[in-house]
Amino acid sequence: MARMKFLCDSERCIECNGCVTACKNANETEWGIQRRRVVTLDDGEIGKEVSISVACMHCSDAPCMAVCPTDCFYPTEDGLILHNKDACIGCGYCLYACPFGAPQFPKQGAFGARGKMDKCTFCAGGPESDPVIEQQKYGANRLREGKLPLCAEMCSTKALLAGDAAQVADIFRERVVYRGHRNSAWSSVEHEAAESEQLAQNAADLAYDATQSV
Amino acid sequence: MLKQLGWWDDLTEAEKVAAEGKDWKTDLSGGIQRVAIKHGCAPFGNGKARTIVWTFPDAIPKHREPLYTTRRDLVEKYPTWDDFESLYRMPTLYKSIQERDTSAEFPIILTSGRLVEYEGGGDETRSNPWLAELQQHMFVEINPFNANTLRIADGDDVWVYGPEGGRVRVKALVTNRVDRDVAFMPFHFGGEFQGEDLRSRYPQGSDPYVLGEAVNTVTTYGYDPVTIMQETKCTVCRIEKAA
Ligand code: SF4
Ligand code: SF4
Ligand code: SF4
């Protein structure tokens, strides 16, 4: 069984926000709702600046699902965590539970009342049988059309990978192996030899973790 | 390369650390460039074509200090051209602009440039909700050191003054992306002028989602003598916290 995962390669991400725009394009979320966002750390610090693109990570043991009082979350057989907007009461518990800040709420009505929660669906739509209504409520269902998430497909540097966890891990591991060598074709890593070996090991571990389903 | 040529030991110890694994483009210490030039080589390679264009004001390009500068010592060393009485039939000023010392009143270099989200004048991109959402305010990048001296916090409203009388009201972005001597503003904004919102002047339905001050309200006079391209990249400014 395929298990879908994201992986953002921070050595490659250039903070272009192409993925954020691609997501808007695919899902037409309203102003203020960005299912995917790019976070930059140590902005402007030479040699330290790093960017990573974050959305819902479709957790294996999803905290949002555990806390939701109306059980609006459900796992799919691809390992995705989707949700049912009809059940959502806008309580915001999932937002507090989520380690990635993925759930977002449109502002609705007076007193800052929250609307129905919206988050990344891995471009897999939601629980609606009519595709038109599904598109309106949840955005694109690209997976049903045999396509991968648009954010990853449109990533300008192929930093953002999405798809079957084993394949994503293989691609990432291969990159790490090449980058482990100083001045190899892909090298953007500028570290001492010992340090870069350690980093390669960390990254290989990370790639391995990504393949694990529990 | 330096190692193959046997010039590696011409680098100082500090330069060696910075130059390890680098080439002339990426060595920020300047060591590789310095040693190459000392040995009579162009750092970027001696095989590259170079040109003498005898019809240009400088037959071989050389540095001339910008018309507006914070470095008066460089004006002495690298003065600009004399004023042209006729350049493509237009009188064009150089020296008479540079002579005016603005460095006390305008101590920070100002440059402008592009944001990846936006393009050109920004009218199209700021009219696209997906892109407009990504950059909702015109801003000026200020180094934390300067911001501290000027008592400006990230996100504050500030006035940026140019030496020809223009001023813009923008948000401060306090960041190490810029050096202490430099401030940066993007050039994609328009629709506000010196603190005034001009949204009502757009023909109905044509106003972009996001408006902001245009950087060229504070950039200054200056033309390239060959192409007559205007100088929008290099001027000076003063930044003050807005009340
Ligand atoms: S919303 Fe947050 S907690 Fe829930 S699956 Fe996505 S990343 Fe995990
Ligand atoms: S997978 Fe689809 S919904 Fe999720 S961030 Fe990417 S484009 Fe947006
Ligand atoms: S499109 Fe790719 S490179 Fe650009 S911000 Fe997103 S993940 Fe990073």
Side-chain angles (χ1 to χ4, degrees), chain A residues 15-17 20-21 24-25 28-34 43-46 49 182-183 190, chain B residues 20-22 26 28 116-117 128-136 173 175-177 209-210:
Chain A
E15 196 201 349
C16 70
N17 281 303
V20 180
T21 312
K24 284 264 173 184
N25 188 351
E28 311 223 20
T29 52
E30 65 187 79
W31 183 284
I33 302 278
Q34 288 173 328
D43 188 20
E45 307 284 348
I46 293 170
E49 177 177 319
R182 289 179 80 81
N183 295 330
E190 298 176 0
Chain B
E20 182 63 49
K22 301 287 170 64
T26 49
L28 296 177
V116 270
E117 291 86 356
N128 173 323
W130 308 332
L131 299 175
E133 190 183 342
L134 293 169
Q135 297 287 351
Q136 300 182 19
L173 176 65
T175 170
N176 271 318
R177 288 183 211 168
Y209 292 97
V210 167

Side-chain angles (χ1 to χ4, degrees), chain A:
Chain A
M1 183 57 55
R3 182 170 179 84
M4 294 298 176
K5 279 289 174 200
F6 285 123
L7 202 148
C8 183
D9 183 345
S10 60
E11 289 288 348
R12 284 185 160 224
C13 178
I14 56 167
E15 196 201 349
C16 70
N17 281 303
C19 48
V20 180
T21 312
C23 179
K24 284 264 173 184
N25 188 351
N27 300 298
E28 311 223 20
T29 52
E30 65 187 79
W31 183 284
I33 302 278
Q34 288 173 328
R35 292 180 175 183
R36 179 166 286 287
R37 283 170 290 195
V38 182
V39 178
T40 301
L41 302 178
D42 292 322
D43 188 20
E45 307 284 348
I46 293 170
K48 279 166 77 187
E49 177 177 319
V50 61
S51 296
I52 187 169
S53 169
V54 199
C56 169
M57 296 298 277
H58 300 277
C59 304
S60 302
D61 183 9
C64 55
M65 190 153 68
V67 299
C68 178
T70 64
D71 273 337
C72 81
F73 295 91
Y74 62 97
T76 71
E77 53 183 19
D78 290 327
L80 304 177
I81 304 295
L82 300 184
H83 68 295
N84 177 354
K85 287 198 178 183
D86 292 337
C88 175
I89 54 170
C91 68
Y93 283 15
C94 54
L95 170 59
Y96 294 111
C98 173
F100 302 102
Q104 293 174 42
F105 298 85
K107 285 204 184 62
Q108 228 176 39
F111 311 115
R114 295 191 186 95
K116 305 230 175 262
M117 189 273 276
D118 191 273
K119 75 168 187 69
C120 159
T121 63
F122 211 86
C123 288
E128 253 342 307
S129 45
D130 182 341
V132 177
I133 297 175
E134 182 184 29
Q135 170 80 34
Q136 277 167 4
K137 266 188 174 166
Y138 300 98
N141 192 338
R142 293 171 54 85
L143 248 52
R144 185 177 49 216
E145 298 163 9
K147 297 174 185 161
L148 285 172
L150 196 61
C151 53
E153 294 224 331
M154 281 171 62
C155 171
S156 59
T157 62
K158 293 287 162 268
L160 184 60
L161 303 171
D164 174 55
Q167 278 181 27
V168 167
D170 282 347
I171 294 170
F172 187 60
R173 194 180 292 111
E174 190 190 329
R175 286 185 189 176
V176 167
V177 168
Y178 277 107
R179 280 201 299 238
H181 301 279
R182 289 179 80 81
N183 295 330
S184 67
W186 290 18
S187 175
S188 67
V189 194
E190 298 176 0
H191 301 289
E192 290 309 312
E195 196 188 347
S196 72
E197 250 167 50
Q198 182 56 44
L199 287 169
Q201 186 57 48
N202 293 351
D205 290 347
L206 185 62
Y208 173 77
D209 288 347
T211 62
Q212 302 305 297
S213 54
V214 274

Side-chain angles (χ1 to χ4, degrees), chain B residues 69-88:
Chain B
T69 175
T70 54
R71 292 284 304 272
R72 299 310 294 180
D73 54 321
L74 294 179
V75 172
E76 305 275 301
K77 214 166 154 197
Y78 306 103
T80 188
W81 296 280
D82 291 332
D83 293 353
F84 287 71
E85 215 157 88
S86 167
L87 196 60
Y88 297 94

Side-chain angles (χ1 to χ4, degrees), chain B residues 28-40:
Chain B
L28 296 177
S29 76
I32 292 178
Q33 295 93 320
R34 182 180 65 77
V35 169
I37 292 168
K38 199 182 94 198
H39 286 276

